[in-house]
Amino acid sequence: MFRIIKKSLKKGLVTGQYPESVTPVPAVSDAARNKAKLFHRSLTIREVDTGSCNGCEMEMNALMNPMYDAERFGIHIAASPRHADALVVTGPVTFNMEKSLKDVYRSTPEPRLIFALGDCAIDCGMFKNSYAVTGPVEKHIPVDVKIPGCPPRPNEILAALLAVMDRRKKE
Amino acid sequence: MDKLNERVQEIVNTFKDRLVDLEQIQGIPVLYFKKENILEIAAYLHKTPSLRGTLSLQWAVDLNPVKPVHRIYYLFSLESGGDWLILAVDLMEKDRLFPSITPKIQAAKWYEREIRDMVGLIPVGHPDLRRLVRHEHWPKGTHVLKKDFPWNTVLERKEGTYSYRHIEGEGVFEVPVGPIHAGIIEPGHFRFSVAGEPIMQLEIRLFWKHRGIEKVFENLSLINGVSLAEKVSGDTSFGHSLCYCQAVESLLSVEVPPRAEYLRTLFLELERLHNHIGDVGAICNDAAYALALAHCSQMKEQIMQLLDRLAGHRFLRGVNRVGGVAVDLDSSQLDGILAELAKIEEVFKDLTEILFVNASLIDRLETTGVLKEQTARDYGVLGVAGRASNINRDVRRDHPFAAYRHLSLKVPLYQYGDVRARVRVRVDEIHESLSIIRQVCRQIPKGPASIEIFSSAPAGKWALSAVEGWRGEILYFVMAGENGGIHRCKVRDPSFVNWPVLQYAALGNIIPDFPLINKSFNLSYAGNDL
């Protein structure tokens, strides 16, 4: 036990040990920024998977690890849409998930910010026109910000979230 | 035709009078029977003590428009040595009925429901004929894998109800959870029946994420299918693409250069490593031991950043291609991998030392979520969950692929089947993976990492391929279509086999322990729903 603590102390802080994102930050509309302003320096997110391959989920999870530590920017994950300021939706919307997505949208208090995360959520990716897919997220609910990538790297997701929150990463 | 092995020859002799046809494809014997005999033969394979066959996969192929036939295949793995044997039944013309083998073989339960949903063939005598993939709002008579069903049909939303199993009695109540549930996780519906604390029944309803993968495959060419295989289950991108590539390579009779085989082994083990390390951390976190999560998620991230530097993708997408790998590594990169992993191994060793002596943690893990060996055997449970319940199966040893025939490998085996056993299997496999990666880096031969493909496969030819992904055995059945296309691609992620047993592992436990049990299996929803 003490050995591992000693090593951790010796190692120092690991937060921030990741390469900077090289892809341009997605465009954020003023309307989206204004919505985010209400929440000041925090954003509570409910992640909704409507048919992704779980790659996007893994990268969202990675945001919470000690290296990215999104909590330091006030980004939290909520278990219920009723506690969320924002929804992050991944995956093409499947025929089986369409109703659930709309239910979640209705349960989220206004002015809910909606992110479409990953290529599938933005334009259905390889599943476009498949019988089991009913179209991209924005066909069913209004989307504020789109974060492309298959899946987007955690640093790219973080950069986009911070752009919406109008915060830059502390040096 | 090659000589059949003794055990198979004996089976053939026993059922000689009922055998319709016999062929051998890729060394796998395929025995054709009439449908009225199939139950008896399947039961014989499953129940005979010297065979102890496990149903590994059951799937149907619509052979229209070439032949007016629906063919159902049953893939059995025989005990010890893991020999494969395929039974096949033809349903002619408009015949849609086939005898269910579920009354004798539990493992067929979901496969037969899936066949009914997707191809529209009805397993007669099946104990549970509710829809599986098609939720209640699907229009009647939609069978998407029939050849006359256009892949881009827009389905009309209908009204319908799904009947759950109910337990009734004083003090019994139901707790429905999902499909959108917990933290960052895929959708699934769990319905617990409890009286007081313990779970009396758990019904799991999945397929919310059904994206039509098998149908979309049929639009792609054999060569381009790789990019879809990578999206079957994101966390196993490499395992799935490897399995697909191997199937197509054996269809096209392509020999992959030895260097590519070693690189594939290396990447597959790296994928196993980061997933297993992440799982150990997440399981401990579900037992409220956050220290392990902090360390493990850090190590996992280190490996994923390493993969990004090596291959340009954190999930290794775009690395596999038919004919080899698109990414070659030089010796300094291989040394870099070893140096990075040495650091990780040191931390991980320290961590496991404190994990297994931590009484408050072990108390949560031990005797929680026990999966009995018999249940695991009946359902043919695979991978980590199987090896924690004394099911001694590992494709890397039983049917060596890539470079595994040149490498030494120990398969960890535990008996008790609780959460702790599943953690132990993962910890042992992490050390085993590290050892394999070291062997690969030492032995990797020089040469090209991929070859160009010039050959093509005749329509109707098929190949089967298996890969031990980090969750367990992945299977792909690929049948070539016209002009280099795909007639049918059956994908089987180990999750599809393991999901139904989760309900037995949860019995008698309390609901607050369910996330822990679920995490210890860590099954893919995407790979299951397809």
Side-chain angles (χ1 to χ4, degrees):
Chain A
M1 183 80 206
F2 289 110
R3 199 163 58 203
I4 203 162
I5 293 175
K6 201 172 141 196
K7 268 188 193 152
S8 298
L9 287 172
K10 232 162 125 188
K11 202 173 184 182
L13 196 64
V14 294
T15 309
Q17 283 184 9
Y18 56 88
E20 278 303 310
S21 162
V22 287
T23 42
V25 178
V28 178
S29 66
D30 287 337
R33 244 189 219 113
N34 284 337
K35 275 191 195 176
K37 242 181 209 152
L38 272 173
F39 307 116
H40 295 284
R41 296 166 70 80
S42 89
L43 196 66
T44 302
I45 292 171
R46 169 66 232 193
E47 206 265 2
V48 181
D49 174 353
T50 57
S52 84
C53 67
N54 77 30
C56 290
E57 277 62 48
M58 277 180 82
E59 298 299 47
M60 281 298 290
N61 268 318
L63 272 189
M64 296 297 144
N65 74 27
M67 265 108 141
Y68 298 99
D69 190 21
E71 295 250 358
R72 72 194 148 126
F73 301 110
I75 298 168
H76 310 285
I77 302 296
S80 164
R82 293 185 203 281
H83 305 160
D85 308 327
L87 296 179
V88 171
V89 187
T90 65
V93 182
T94 62
F95 190 46
N96 289 347
M97 275 305 283
E98 186 189 326
K99 185 172 171 289
S100 301
L101 173 67
K102 288 175 179 162
D103 288 348
V104 161
Y105 178 74
R106 274 196 299 273
S107 321
T108 314
E110 288 183 44
R112 57 212 160 190
L113 257 167
I114 313 292
F115 294 84
L117 182 70
D119 292 347
C120 290
I122 294 170
D123 71 346
C124 298
M126 288 193 84
F127 306 103
K128 200 184 252 170
N129 298 335
S130 157
Y131 65 88
V133 164
T134 57
V137 177
E138 64 183 346
K139 195 179 149 194
H140 301 295
I141 59 175
V143 169
D144 295 297
V145 185
K146 295 174 185 173
I147 310 176
C150 187
R153 294 179 172 86
N155 53 12
E156 294 164 10
I157 304 174
L158 194 57
L161 291 176
L162 294 181
V164 175
M165 294 165 78
D166 221 1
R167 292 180 65 159
R168 246 165 277 147
K169 196 189 140 202
K170 261 189 237 145
E171 293 306 323
Chain B
M1 196 166 81
D2 297 338
K3 213 172 150 283
L4 294 171
N5 89 23
E6 266 173 45
R7 278 202 289 191
V8 179
Q9 190 61 54
E10 219 180 285
I11 298 165
V12 170
N13 293 343
T14 316
F15 293 101
K16 215 171 8 193
D17 51 330
R18 272 153 284 183
L19 194 66
V20 177
D21 197 3
L22 167 71
E23 57 180 347
Q24 213 166 166
I25 292 171
Q26 287 179 285
I28 310 169
V30 184
L31 281 58
Y32 290 83
F33 287 100
K34 282 214 176 95
K35 70 174 185 180
E36 47 272 26
N37 297 326
I38 194 70
L39 179 62
E40 178 198 355
I41 290 145
Y44 174 82
L45 293 181
H46 186 61
K47 299 267 154 77
T48 310
S50 61
L51 299 171
R52 292 233 272 179
T54 306
L55 182 73
S56 280
L57 181 62
Q58 185 184 350
W59 72 106
V61 181
D62 180 0
L63 291 173
N64 286 302
V66 187
K67 262 195 253 176
V69 169
H70 291 95
R71 187 167 289 165
I72 303 171
Y73 291 97
Y74 305 76
L75 173 70
F76 280 88
S77 307
L78 304 183
E79 179 86 325
S80 70
D83 294 328
W84 277 335
L85 175 71
I86 294 180
L87 307 180
V89 167
D90 280 352
L91 300 183
M92 300 303 190
E93 309 272 347
K94 292 232 168 351
D95 187 4
R96 287 172 62 218
L97 306 177
F98 68 101
S100 163
I101 61 166
T102 308
K104 301 273 183 202
I105 300 173
Q106 280 293 320
K109 205 172 190 173
W110 273 27
Y111 289 126
E112 291 186 337
R113 285 173 72 183
E114 188 194 28
I115 289 173
R116 187 213 170 196
D117 274 7
M118 307 304 272
V119 195
L121 308 175
I122 297 166
V124 179
H126 194 289
D128 179 6
L129 273 176
R130 288 175 299 171
R131 288 177 177 188
L132 186 71
V133 185
R134 300 176 301 159
H135 281 190
E136 65 276 9
H137 57 265
W138 284 52
K140 230 178 150 197
T142 317
H143 302 295
V144 297
L145 288 180
K146 283 179 88 85
K147 279 287 159 188
D148 55 10
F149 181 88
W151 75 286
N152 53 3
T153 308
V154 178
L155 295 178
E156 199 189 329
R157 206 179 176 86
K158 298 279 184 192
E159 286 301 310
T161 47
Y162 181 82
S163 54
Y164 289 93
R165 296 190 305 252
H166 295 292
I167 292 188
E168 282 168 13
E170 201 185 320
V172 180
F173 59 97
E174 283 183 5
V175 184
V177 180
I180 293 167
H181 62 117
I184 303 173
I185 196 166
E186 304 172 70
H189 182 83
F190 303 88
R191 195 166 278 230
F192 303 92
S193 298
V194 288
E197 290 252 63
I199 299 169
M200 297 166 75
Q201 174 183 262
L202 163 62
E203 184 163 357
I204 302 171
R205 191 169 185 219
L206 298 171
F207 300 94
W208 302 90
K209 303 178 69 169
H210 177 70
R211 292 162 287 170
I213 287 205
E214 290 179 341
K215 193 75 180 179
V216 177
F217 261 120
E218 292 173 12
N219 283 338
L220 300 172
S221 71
L222 285 169
I223 305 290
N224 295 339
V226 190
S227 55
L228 184 59
E230 284 171 340
K231 292 176 183 71
V232 170
S233 181
D235 45 19
T236 326
S237 292
F238 195 82
H240 273 279
S241 63
L242 175 57
C243 197
Y244 175 82
C245 285
Q246 285 183 0
V248 174
E249 281 151 8
S250 75
L251 258 184
L252 301 175
S253 318
V254 172
E255 282 273 336
V256 176
R259 189 174 177 85
E261 295 201 319
Y262 275 85
L263 287 169
R264 282 175 168 182
T265 309
L266 175 74
F267 286 127
L268 188 68
E269 291 305 323
L270 283 167
E271 184 175 82
R272 188 184 321 278
L273 206 54
H274 79 68
N275 277 301
H276 276 357
I277 292 178
D279 279 356
V280 171
I283 294 168
C284 293
N285 188 52
D286 277 347
Y289 191 57
L291 176 85
L293 177 74
H295 278 284
C296 288
S297 57
Q298 202 177 312
M299 288 183 262
K300 180 186 169 80
E301 178 63 25
Q302 272 172 296
I303 299 175
M304 296 196 74
Q305 288 186 14
L306 174 74
L307 296 179
D308 200 3
R309 288 199 297 276
L310 293 172
H313 200 285
R314 288 163 58 94
F315 293 85
L316 294 170
R317 287 189 180 156
V319 174
N320 261 320
R321 57 203 213 92
V322 179
V325 285
V327 176
D328 199 356
L329 304 176
D330 59 29
S331 59
S332 67
Q333 282 171 311
L334 293 176
D335 291 341
I337 296 175
L338 291 179
E340 185 90 30
L341 292 185
K343 278 191 265 173
I344 287 170
E345 188 175 18
E346 205 186 323
V347 180
F348 190 73
K349 263 191 183 150
D350 284 349
L351 186 69
T352 38
E353 263 175 39
I354 59 173
L355 282 189
F356 291 110
V357 294
N358 186 325
S360 65
L361 174 68
I362 292 303
D363 187 47
R364 286 291 303 279
L365 307 187
E366 266 179 350
T367 68
T368 304
V370 176
L371 173 63
K372 292 195 182 108
E373 183 183 341
Q374 192 56 49
T375 314
R377 220 168 266 293
D378 288 347
Y379 278 86
V381 170
L382 297 162
V384 173
R387 291 190 283 274
S389 296
N390 206 21
I391 306 290
N392 194 359
R393 280 175 71 182
D394 190 318
V395 190
R396 295 176 291 173
R397 179 198 59 202
D398 303 339
H399 298 276
F401 54 94
Y404 287 104
R405 65 183 74 82
H406 310 296
L407 306 169
S408 80
L409 160 82
K410 281 200 292 286
V411 178
L413 200 62
Y414 288 85
Q415 319 241 325
Y416 201 66
D418 56 356
V419 175
R420 181 176 177 273
R422 288 187 281 276
V423 175
R424 285 235 74 123
V425 169
R426 286 190 171 91
V427 170
D428 289 2
E429 285 189 5
I430 287 167
H431 290 295
E432 213 43 51
S433 284
L434 289 164
S435 142
I436 292 171
I437 292 170
R438 276 193 289 269
Q439 294 176 50
V440 167
C441 289
R442 232 184 357 252
Q443 299 177 16
I444 189 164
K446 290 199 165 44
S450 75
I451 49 163
E452 289 294 316
I453 306 292
F454 300 106
S455 49
S456 60
K461 189 182 172 189
W462 58 260
L464 191 74
S465 149
V467 159
E468 186 76 18
W470 61 274
R471 270 195 191 94
E473 176 193 76
I474 302 167
L475 287 174
Y476 269 73
F477 164 90
V478 182
M479 186 183 261
E482 299 291 331
N483 305 322
I486 298 172
H487 182 84
R488 173 89 164 92
C489 179
K490 173 75 199 133
V491 181
R492 212 283 324 270
D493 189 86
S495 308
F496 187 86
V497 178
N498 290 0
W499 268 117
V501 298
L502 193 57
Q503 56 179 323
Y504 299 106
L507 286 187
N509 289 272
I510 55 176
I511 293 184
D513 268 344
F514 179 71
L516 180 65
I517 299 166
N518 194 13
K519 195 76 217 176
S520 75
F521 280 83
N522 193 13
L523 302 172
S524 169
Y525 300 68
N528 175 79
D529 301 356
L530 292 178

